[in-house]
């Protein structure tokens, strides 16, 4: 009797599921046809009667002026140089600026002059990808938000080739299966990484893993299940990309383990403006009464400025004995908003607490020429972010001729501060003591020995030049143009 009841319920349920699946397939097929129809209406033929190839970049914050934007404008300029029949489109949410102002900003900040005009598609719903909208389940919220933002982009302009250049992998299936586009992406940082999973698994307290979660076995287990589910979904959407470019070996390892798309994944180092810094003449330091240690990074929590200040305080404490040259720590960085400014105030309070306020200088949102001057005069370049995916600031310090001291993890460890032709290019450290000891060691070296390290470092950074980026980028995107 039970079996008969089960059968009588199971058969209609299977039948209903089948009908729903068919309806879903028909609906998706209908949407795809409708979008293709829109594409024909929205695009017109060029002067020669041929329709240009539309290559769209999804970059909602294209006017931000960071390393990701440098990659975007370099990529567009590279495609314009190589393909005459390509029209580049940028999906952006920067509605407070005109297209001309955005292009002008790219030229002013990065010295990148585009060859032809770019078409901007302004999106209304960028607020859907703001982290502040999702105080909890931020990763999932932003990813779902990006799908809605991607849908708005697709309705406004249907490209032939779609490249996500800002890390919104959940938009990839949308453009591939509904838009019928060939899709690629440039990954600066995996949305979720195996390191994030291990932080939760080991119940470590970090800026993105609150103490109330680490102190509760239940919350930790729940967060781990949520992260594992998200990692599975992230792997699924990422694997539908035809071309995957990553910015470093560290990112490559994570993307390979999550997306399992090794055949179409390549490392394309971001273009660093090394040439500008190579103009700084390298010479043996003049006998000096003051050494400066410079840090260049935005005032964000993951950059770990408190570690720099504490290590510097420790160094000063140990150097007070005897008549040594005076030391200055110069923190150079950008403040994006009120939160960043509060962070700077907290760092100033920390300096007062450690009684080193007179030895630490803050330089915020300074012009490029001033940044260059500070780097030219500095002895040590300092970087403390754990698992920085690449580290453009580290490359700039090395190109400018400082002796770099970076965090022993991520891009700096795997790609940048590595021996070049068998010679040392810089130093790595992990904690407060490490940093203080290594700074003391660098300062104890002879000026000639430091010059040798600086020269090796400078020779090694040619791997990160604009030209190298152009060559590897074109090679990677070639399958999208077949």
């Amino acid at each position: 009797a039970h079996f008969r009841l089960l059968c009588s319920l199971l058969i209609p349920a299977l039948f209903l599921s089948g009908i729903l699946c068919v309806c879903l397939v028909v609906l998706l097929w209908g949407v795809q046809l409708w979008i293709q129809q829109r594409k024909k209406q929205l695009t017109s033929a060029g002067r020669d009667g041929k329709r240009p190839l539309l290559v769209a970049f999804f970059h909602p914050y294209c006017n931000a002026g960071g390393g990701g934007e440098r990659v975007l404008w370099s990529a567009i300029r590279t495609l314009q140089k190589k393909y005459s029949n390509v029209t580049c489109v940028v999906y952006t949410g920067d509605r407070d600026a005109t297209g001309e102002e955005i292009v002008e900003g790219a030229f002013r900040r990065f010295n990148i002059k585009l060859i032809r005009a770019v078409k901007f598609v302004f999106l209304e719903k960028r607020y859907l990808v703001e982290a502040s909208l999702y105080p909890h389940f931020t990763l999932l919220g932003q990813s779902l938000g990006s799908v809605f933002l991607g849908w708005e982009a697709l309705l406004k302009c249907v490209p032939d080739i779609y490249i996500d250049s800002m890390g919104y992998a959940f938009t990839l299936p949308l453009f591939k299966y509904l838009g019928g586009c060939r899709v690629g992406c440039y990954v600066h940082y995996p949305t979720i990484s195996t390191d994030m999973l291990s932080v939760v698994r080991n119940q470590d307290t970090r800026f993105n893993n609150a103490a109330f979660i680490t102190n509760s076995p239940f919350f930790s287990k729940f967060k781990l299940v949520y992260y594992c589910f998200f990692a599975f979904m992230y792997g699924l959407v990422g694997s539908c990309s035809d071309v995957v470019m990553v910015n470093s070996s560290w990112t490559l390892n994570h993307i390979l383990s999550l997306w399992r798309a090794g055949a179409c994944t390549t490392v394309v180092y971001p273009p660093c403006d090394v040439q500008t810094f190579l103009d700084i003449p390298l010479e043996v330091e003049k006998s000096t009464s003051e050494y400066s240690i410079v840090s260049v990074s935005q005032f964000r929590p993951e950059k770990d400025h408190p570690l720099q200040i504490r290590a510097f305080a420790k160094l000063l404490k140990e150097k007070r004995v005897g008549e040594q040259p005076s030391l200055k720590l110069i923190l150079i960085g950008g403040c994006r908003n009120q939160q960043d400014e509060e962070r700077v105030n907290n760092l100033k309070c920390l300096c007062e607490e450690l009684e080193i306020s007179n030895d630490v200088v803050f330089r915020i949102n300074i012009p490029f020429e001033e940044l260059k001057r500070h780097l030219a005069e500095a002895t040590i370049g300092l970087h403390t972010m754990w698992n920085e995916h690449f580290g453009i600031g580290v490359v700039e310090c090395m190109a400018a001729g400082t002796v770099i001291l970076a965090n022993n993890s991520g891009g700096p460890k795997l790609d940048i501060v590595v021996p070049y032709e068998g010679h040392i290019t810089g130093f790595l450290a992990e904690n407060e003591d490490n940093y203080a000891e290594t700074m003391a060691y660098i300062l104890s070296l002879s000026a000639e020995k430091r010059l040798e390290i600086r020269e090796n470092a400078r020779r090694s950074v040619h791997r990160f030049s604009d030209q190298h980026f152009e060559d590897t980028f074109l090679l990677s995107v070639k399958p999208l143009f077949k």
Side-chain angles (χ1 to χ4, degrees), residues 1 89 101 129 153 191 193 229 253 352 362 404 418 454 458:
V89 177
E101 284 167 349
V129 295
T191 305
S193 67
F229 165 73
N253 295 336
E352 277 168 31
F362 287 84
I404 191 71
V418 294
R454 291 156 65 207
R458 188 172 259 200

Side-chain angles (χ1 to χ4, degrees), residues 57-77 90-94 102-103 105-107 109-112 114 120 126 164-168 186 188 247 270-272 298 300 336 389 392 466 469:
F57 290 84
F58 190 74
H59 209 105
Y61 296 86
C62 76
N63 207 20
E69 288 66 57
R70 189 176 169 79
V71 170
L72 169 74
W73 302 116
S74 298
I76 289 174
R77 183 180 61 184
V90 177
Y91 296 117
T92 178
D94 292 299
I102 294 171
V103 170
F107 178 61
R109 290 187 190 115
F110 309 119
N111 199 24
I112 293 175
L114 300 179
F120 287 93
R126 188 176 72 178
D164 160 45
S165 50
M166 227 189 137
Y168 294 107
Y186 187 97
H188 295 272
N247 67 341
C272 307
Q298 285 182 311
R300 301 206 305 248
R336 303 162 299 173
H389 42 305
I392 288 179
D466 285 316
F469 169 81

Side-chain angles (χ1 to χ4, degrees), residues 52 69 223 288 401 427 475:
E69 288 66 57
K223 188 166 183 179
T288 174
F427 298 88
L475 213 57

Side-chain angles (χ1 to χ4, degrees), residues 316-354:
L316 284 184
K317 213 176 187 174
E318 284 153 18
K319 285 194 81 68
R320 287 280 182 238
V321 245
E323 278 301 304
Q324 272 128 341
S326 68
L327 293 175
K328 274 264 182 287
L329 174 63
I330 303 170
L331 301 177
I332 300 173
C335 276
R336 303 162 299 173
N337 49 35
Q338 188 68 45
Q339 287 167 306
D340 287 358
E341 279 158 28
E342 279 166 26
R343 215 164 275 127
V344 170
N345 289 333
N346 293 339
L347 292 172
K348 285 178 179 171
C349 292
L350 177 63
C351 292
E352 277 168 31
E353 203 183 295
L354 297 168

Side-chain angles (χ1 to χ4, degrees), residues 108-109 273 276-277 366-373 396:
R108 204 176 55 251
R109 290 187 190 115
D273 194 6
T276 310
F277 294 98
I366 61 171
F368 184 75
E369 282 310 310
E370 194 184 328
L371 161 73
K372 205 170 154 179
R373 200 186 70 243
E396 290 176 343

Side-chain angles (χ1 to χ4, degrees), residues 29-283:
W29 181 64
V31 170
Q32 195 180 33
L33 281 179
W34 176 65
I35 285 173
Q36 292 310 313
Q37 211 49 46
R38 269 184 80 84
K39 182 178 183 173
K40 283 181 190 140
Q41 289 165 2
L42 291 170
T43 55
S44 54
R47 275 178 230 159
D48 56 357
K50 286 181 186 167
R51 199 178 62 80
L53 196 67
L54 282 187
V55 180
F57 290 84
F58 190 74
H59 209 105
Y61 296 86
C62 76
N63 207 20
E69 288 66 57
R70 189 176 169 79
V71 170
L72 169 74
W73 302 116
S74 298
I76 289 174
R77 183 180 61 184
T78 304
L79 289 181
Q80 288 183 340
K81 267 192 212 172
K82 171 79 176 169
Y83 300 102
S84 56
N85 66 327
V86 157
T87 297
C88 290
V89 177
V90 177
Y91 296 117
T92 178
D94 292 299
R95 292 186 300 143
D96 54 348
T98 64
E100 289 80 15
E101 284 167 349
I102 294 171
V103 170
E104 173 56 37
F107 178 61
R108 204 176 55 251
R109 290 187 190 115
F110 309 119
N111 199 24
I112 293 175
K113 197 153 188 60
L114 300 179
I115 295 159
R116 293 192 296 281
V118 166
K119 181 183 170 191
F120 287 93
V121 173
F122 291 94
L123 306 174
E124 321 261 321
K125 298 186 175 65
R126 188 176 72 178
Y127 64 88
L128 292 174
V129 295
E130 299 273 354
S132 54
L133 194 63
Y134 314 99
H136 306 293
F137 300 101
T138 314
L139 293 179
L140 194 59
Q142 283 181 295
S143 298
L144 291 175
S146 73
V147 175
F148 286 101
L149 190 63
W151 177 246
E152 184 195 342
L154 187 58
L155 289 186
K156 286 184 171 172
C157 171
V158 187
D160 300 293
I161 294 169
Y162 170 80
I163 298 173
D164 160 45
S165 50
M166 227 189 137
Y168 294 107
F170 282 74
T171 60
L172 293 166
L174 193 68
F175 279 82
K176 183 168 185 170
Y177 299 116
L178 291 184
C181 314
R182 280 159 288 181
V183 301
C185 59
Y186 187 97
V187 185
H188 295 272
Y189 202 87
T191 305
I192 190 162
S193 67
T194 42
D195 291 333
M196 284 163 76
L197 292 170
S198 66
V199 162
V200 178
R201 197 176 279 121
N202 302 334
Q203 298 186 326
D204 291 344
T205 303
R206 297 254 164 168
F207 74 91
N208 57 355
N209 196 35
F212 82 88
I213 288 173
T214 58
N215 297 335
S216 157
F218 171 75
F219 281 126
S220 280
K221 288 271 187 302
F222 180 77
K223 188 166 183 179
L224 187 61
V225 168
Y226 159 57
Y227 267 18
C228 287
F229 165 73
F230 185 83
F232 170 73
M233 293 301 292
Y234 183 58
L236 219 55
V237 296
S239 63
C240 73
S241 191
D242 301 311
V243 161
V244 181
M245 291 167 280
V246 296
N247 67 341
S248 68
S249 306
W250 182 83
T251 308
L252 174 74
N253 295 336
H254 287 288
I255 289 297
L256 288 180
S257 70
L258 290 162
W259 291 10
R260 306 188 190 285
C264 59
T265 306
T266 46
V267 176
V268 178
Y269 290 130
C272 307
D273 194 6
V274 290
Q275 201 48 55
T276 310
F277 294 98
L278 294 177
D279 297 344
I280 297 170
L282 263 202
E283 47 201 34

